[in-house]
Amino acid sequence: ESEWAAFGYYNLGVTLLRNENRSEGEEWLKKVAASNYFDPESRALRDRANYILGFSALKAQATLQAKKHFQQVPLDSPFSNRALWGLGLTFQALREPKQALAAWLELAQRNPADRSVLDGLLAIPYAYADLGGYEQSVKHYQIALETIQAQIKHVETAIEQVRVGGMLNVIVDNISQARSEAFNEYQNFPIGPESIYLAGLYETHAFQTALRNYRDLRLMELQLQRWAGAIYSMENTSD
């Protein structure tokens, strides 16, 4: 009966889907989608379960079920980009290109660093062409091309910052000096167009463990320097 049970249901459902056990996996995910907890974590987990159920139904050509699950994800959800992308695909499969276009146009207004947004930018001109709007199609292909080229530059910048160590120095300089067992201080990580491409790295256990060890070594180094200075002062007190 615990609210934490939903996390177990979710992990079990996803694992079963990955093992090609669709029916049983969907049953566990539906338990999550039907949960009535309203804390932010539970809402996010419910939204995530719904969009995964949507893609599972879409893969099985159960388009009406897919549509229902995608529409359960609110537009302000952290998983709404994936849901909008899937909803557009669902409408396209239902031969409703106008509705598909509406979903993808909403998606195109969002941060293009998200893969789903880039997929939507490429799908929009396809949908316009399907509706006979060839001029709009050409225009939006050009917009998609320019956006993707800009994102490639951001990725290259992020790679270069990591290569020269600049990103690590900024992180270590920004994190608090308190000794904690885990890093949840994302607000102290570098903010910029390139940061989102490293978000997956930041949240891994391996990265946080390495960063914690690195920080502790830096703190130990500073302490040793202070002690060395103090010893030097004591040795020269008589002078």
Side-chain angles (χ1 to χ4, degrees), residues 81 106-119 121 147 151 154 192-197:
N81 287 357
E106 167 66 27
L107 182 58
Q109 300 176 38
R110 303 186 174 200
N111 190 334
D114 189 296
R115 182 187 68 187
S116 299
V117 177
L118 293 180
D119 287 340
L121 286 172
T147 304
Q151 293 307 309
H154 290 319
E194 301 81 23
S195 302
I196 194 168
Y197 291 106

Side-chain angles (χ1 to χ4, degrees), residues 16 38 74 103 119 121 152-153 171 180 203 207 227:
L16 288 164
F38 296 101
D119 287 340
L121 286 172
I152 289 172
K153 290 181 180 179
I171 293 172
S180 59
E203 66 187 11
F207 178 85
W227 286 344

Side-chain angles (χ1 to χ4, degrees), residues 169 172-173 177 179 213-229:
N169 291 334
V172 174
D173 289 342
Q177 297 298 305
R179 293 178 179 273
N213 292 339
Y214 185 84
R215 181 191 63 174
D216 288 347
L217 285 171
R218 285 276 297 262
L219 291 172
M220 185 183 296
E221 181 184 35
L222 291 173
Q223 184 64 51
L224 290 171
Q225 289 174 353
R226 285 194 291 269
W227 286 344

Side-chain angles (χ1 to χ4, degrees), residues 60-92:
Q61 298 183 340
T63 49
L64 292 178
Q65 289 183 30
K67 175 183 172 183
K68 174 185 174 182
H69 286 298
F70 288 134
Q71 290 181 328
Q72 291 295 316
V73 181
L75 287 176
D76 60 351
S77 166
F79 302 103
S80 58
N81 287 357
R82 293 295 291 159
L84 283 168
W85 168 240
L87 186 61
L89 292 175
T90 302
F91 280 128
Q92 197 72 22

Side-chain angles (χ1 to χ4, degrees), residues 36-54:
N36 57 1
Y37 293 105
F38 296 101
D39 57 281
E41 294 83 2
S42 296
R43 288 201 305 267
L45 195 66
R46 185 163 56 243
D47 295 341
R48 193 168 186 174
N50 268 310
Y51 95 72
I52 290 175
L53 283 166

Side-chain angles (χ1 to χ4, degrees), residues 187-200:
Q187 68 271 22
N188 293 319
F189 284 2
I191 301 299
E194 301 81 23
S195 302
I196 194 168
Y197 291 106
L198 298 170

